Amino acid sequence: SSLMNSLAGGDPENQITNEWLSLNEVVVDRGPSPFLSNLDLYINDYLVTTVQGDGLIISSPTGSTAYAMAAGASMCHPSVPAIIIVPICPHSLSFRPVVVPAGVELRIALSSDARHTASYSIDGRNSGELKKGYQLRITTSEFPLPSICRSDQMNDWFEGLGMCLHWNQRQKQLPLNSCYLSSANVNSSPTTHSSSKS
């Protein structure tokens, strides 16, 4: 899975458009600005919300185990056709990551009352400044990325989670009987007191 991104804006007669493909995610954040990001998020030209916080991550399922997961999103199997929207340090406790169907078009623009421009980066490489009058459009790419599996897609993915992320690895609980026996042995162990006779 991959994302198609384009940046367009400027004078309507002399519009500038750049296009990129990304494998993992598109990040729009406040960059070096001390102010909160104020970003309008549209899905299929419908204003969904205004993002107030440090920014926004738009992730493909492949990128869900990277920056998106670190920011609190769920891990998503690469064969699930979806786009994951993840706020970065939002100033609202109810603003949680959401998953939307692949194929929708997301549009991110500065809000009219934004105090500063925003920064964007595509897979951590292609970066730039999102100014007023410009918008970043993101949708699922029509060119999916093929991958080679050792056994099959499901087993390989879960093995990768275990090897790379140590997913759900922890010290196993002792059986109930051994817990009681070990605590009983500790409580009933004889103590030796040294006494001196005079």
Side-chain angles (χ1 to χ4, degrees):
S1 58
S2 55
L3 300 172
M4 171 71 90
N5 320 286
S6 68
L7 177 71
D11 182 12
E13 294 177 5
N14 189 19
Q15 252 197 3
I16 302 166
T17 303
N18 292 319
E19 289 190 358
W20 303 274
L21 278 172
S22 61
L23 176 63
N24 294 319
E25 75 276 316
V26 176
V27 177
V28 184
D29 61 21
R30 60 192 180 99
S33 169
F35 304 114
L36 289 177
S37 288
N38 260 344
L39 305 169
D40 288 338
L41 173 65
Y42 296 84
I43 297 180
N44 291 342
D45 290 327
Y46 173 75
L47 178 60
V48 175
T49 190
T50 296
V51 179
Q52 288 189 301
D54 281 357
L56 200 57
I57 301 168
I58 308 297
S59 172
S60 70
T62 305
S64 69
T65 52
Y67 192 8
M69 183 189 69
S74 293
M75 296 178 285
C76 185
H77 191 277
S79 64
V80 176
I83 298 174
I84 302 132
I85 301 169
V86 189
I88 306 170
C89 300
H91 272 228
S92 168
L93 290 175
S94 61
F95 192 4
R96 296 293 177 211
V98 293
V99 178
V100 295
V104 300
E105 184 183 71
L106 279 68
R107 188 160 48 93
I108 302 169
L110 284 177
S111 298
S112 57
D113 58 350
R115 293 183 174 185
H116 201 267
T117 60
S119 296
Y120 66 86
S121 68
I122 290 106
D123 282 344
R125 294 181 179 226
N126 297 316
S127 58
E129 188 177 23
L130 184 63
K131 302 175 184 176
K132 285 194 177 177
Y134 286 77
Q135 55 190 2
L136 197 56
R137 292 179 179 268
I138 303 162
T139 190
T140 313
S141 172
E142 58 183 306
F143 308 108
L145 186 73
S147 58
I148 299 170
C149 299
R150 210 169 35 173
S151 57
D152 66 63
Q153 284 186 339
M154 198 59 69
N155 289 346
D156 282 7
W157 191 66
F158 277 103
E159 279 180 21
L161 292 185
M163 285 173 44
C164 299
L165 300 176
H166 304 290
W167 179 65
N168 200 28
Q169 292 182 13
R170 62 180 295 274
Q171 177 105 18
K172 289 209 170 185
Q173 230 175 3
L174 292 172
L176 189 60
N177 290 342
S178 65
C179 289
Y180 281 125
L181 291 174
S182 62
S183 63
N185 289 341
V186 169
N187 292 337
S188 63
S189 61
T191 55
T192 55
H193 297 285
S194 59
S195 58
S196 57
K197 293 184 179 180
S198 52

